[in-house]
Amino acid sequence: MGGLLIALEGIDGSGKSTQAGLLARSINASLTFEPGATHLGIALRSLLLHSAANDLAISTSAEALLMIADRAQDMAENILPALSAGNNVVTDRYSASTIAYQGYGRGIDVNHLQAAIDLATGGLSPALNVLLDLPVSLALERLAGSGKKADRFEEAGVKFLEKVRTGYLSMAAADPSHWMVIDSNAPADQLAANILEQVKSRLEAHL
Ligand code: TMP
């Protein structure tokens, strides 16, 4: 496997999608995102994020499996082909999102989640997870100001997102060699420069 996988992670409203795009451009990496970066993924994303509007019931374990199915397809169509061609890949969310949202957030057993994630990814984990960390209150303020319609995860509220944030911070603390935590309460251009500098210093030999 030639290239490196770098995942941007964080709660909704952390600025992660903007930063994933900027980072990918700066280091000349392929960019993908989950859920929704394949034809199957577009269908799954719509089911997952707008199920209430569609009057569709989704159990918590079905939700987890659909997220993981999206990942399996993203692996097959986007991530593995790019890595095996020797390109680095930046992904806007990856397996840690499932552990944070479905594990810490919804309360699904993390070992069960990890087994399903391994099926989807063949056990490939990122060289680096970049956590854009922000207090939930600030993230929700940003989302409210963005004018974007809230999806089912944003509507789950403060308590849910607090659990997700705690999950991310616990994963980062438990595995510091694969995680970097960045305070995302900064203007986008400053944040982008900070992320680039820190990613380069961590993965210097490979970029
Ligand atoms: P996005 O807004 O970053 O595109 O992500 C869509 C939502 O999906 C976001 O609220 C987080 C959620 N999500 C999960 O709950 N589990 C997952 O595994 C992934 C990839 C996303």
Side-chain angles (χ1 to χ4, degrees):
M1 194 72 64
L4 287 183
L5 180 63
I6 301 170
L8 263 79
E9 294 286 354
I11 59 172
D12 302 80
S14 61
K16 174 187 59 47
S17 301
T18 308
Q19 295 302 327
L22 293 171
L23 177 65
R25 203 175 325 143
S26 304
I27 62 173
N28 200 20
S30 302
L31 175 66
T32 188
F33 64 96
E34 296 177 1
T38 62
H39 286 297
L40 176 62
I42 290 168
L44 293 174
R45 185 179 175 94
S46 153
L47 291 176
L48 280 160
L49 301 193
H50 305 294
S51 54
N54 302 331
D55 223 2
L56 179 72
I58 302 184
S59 73
T60 52
S61 50
E63 174 186 281
L65 289 167
L66 292 173
M67 288 291 181
I68 293 167
D70 169 81
R71 182 158 310 124
Q73 198 65 23
D74 191 32
M75 286 299 293
E77 288 189 32
N78 299 324
I79 297 177
L80 287 178
L83 293 178
S84 31
N87 296 324
N88 296 324
V89 175
V90 171
T91 180
D92 173 359
R93 299 196 180 282
Y94 190 63
S95 303
S97 284
T98 309
I99 305 290
Y101 281 78
Q102 280 65 50
Y104 285 84
R106 300 276 196 229
I108 298 180
D109 183 300
V110 168
N111 293 318
H112 289 163
L113 287 175
Q114 194 58 57
I117 289 170
D118 287 346
L119 173 66
T121 62
L124 181 80
S125 57
L128 187 61
N129 289 283
V130 179
L131 173 57
L132 297 191
D133 184 50
L134 196 64
V136 170
S137 56
L138 273 181
L140 289 174
E141 255 173 49
R142 280 192 188 178
L143 286 172
S146 72
K148 207 181 109 224
K149 207 167 146 278
D151 64 37
R152 91 193 212 112
F153 293 93
E154 291 154 16
E155 279 170 352
V158 177
K159 269 202 185 143
F160 176 75
L161 285 179
E162 291 286 6
K163 288 189 220 163
V164 174
R165 182 182 184 214
T166 300
Y168 274 130
L169 290 170
S170 312
M171 283 186 267
D175 186 13
S177 62
H178 294 106
W179 282 84
M180 201 170 82
V181 182
I182 293 192
D183 178 359
S184 101
N185 188 16
D189 53 346
Q190 242 173 277
L191 186 57
N194 186 13
I195 293 171
L196 181 60
E197 188 190 316
Q198 296 208 45
V199 166
K200 276 190 166 161
S201 82
R202 284 285 285 269
L203 299 175
E204 206 170 15
H206 309 278
L207 294 177

